[in-house]
Amino acid sequence: MNEVYKNIITENDPLMDETIQLACESAKNGGGPFAAILIIKDPKTGEILKKWRASNSVTKDFDPTAHAEVNVIRKACRDLSLFHLNEIKEGELILYSSCEPCPMCYAAISWAHIPNLIFAGTRFDAAEPGVNFSDQEIYDQLELPYDERKVNVKKALCERAKEPFNLWKQIDKTHY
């Protein structure tokens, strides 16, 4: 096992098995081989108070952002009318992912304020020949200066660049 995982190993549980089964069903039915389950669990009894399930639907939805973790976060947020899921007070929030989240999904987990993540497959498993879901290029690109990245990035010299932020400071708004 890669050194990056040495301090985070935990035992398997039935929810991870359910997540893996959902990922297999997705792969069999034209989706990507990824799934996620988000739960609210009573920390005292271990009872699952609420559960959302989603799989990867990139090819089905023609949406490169329709990863399992993003899809399950969207379901839970809509259902609860929240965008910060750590506002849930009645239990412990845990996201199960069939595979280590990509950078986009990890960012979504962070933005949603989900405090607990458990994954099964690793980014290295996903990158194996025949699977070919490597995020290494993204990790590598983020370390480069903008002018050396694959995407041609330009920063506009715009006098109005801060106008939306200055407006945001002044208006009555919902903070997120």
Side-chain angles (χ1 to χ4, degrees), residues 64-166:
T65 68
H67 291 199
E69 297 89 344
V70 171
N71 288 343
V72 82
I73 290 167
R74 288 173 178 161
K75 282 184 175 184
C77 288
R78 273 190 222 111
D79 187 37
L80 298 170
S81 298
L82 294 172
F83 42 82
H84 288 158
L85 292 173
N86 66 340
E87 294 177 21
I88 297 167
K89 303 296 182 215
E90 66 269 11
E92 182 181 25
L93 192 63
I94 306 169
L95 190 144
Y96 288 81
S97 181
S98 62
C99 187
E100 181 176 0
C102 73
M104 176 188 70
C105 292
Y106 191 83
I109 292 163
S110 179
W111 279 107
H113 297 266
I114 297 171
N116 300 292
L117 167 66
I118 302 171
F119 63 86
T122 70
R123 64 181 181 244
F124 304 104
D125 298 332
E128 287 182 2
V131 182
N132 302 328
F133 287 105
S134 178
D135 298 321
Q136 192 58 50
E137 183 179 354
I138 297 169
Y139 292 110
D140 294 344
Q141 288 288 305
L142 290 173
E143 292 181 9
L144 294 174
Y146 279 111
D147 64 345
E148 295 178 26
R149 294 184 185 181
K150 179 180 166 183
V151 174
N152 184 19
V153 178
K154 300 292 183 196
K155 163 58 178 105
L157 293 176
C158 177
E159 292 180 16
R160 297 183 62 203
K162 290 177 67 175
E163 190 174 314
F165 301 124
N166 292 333

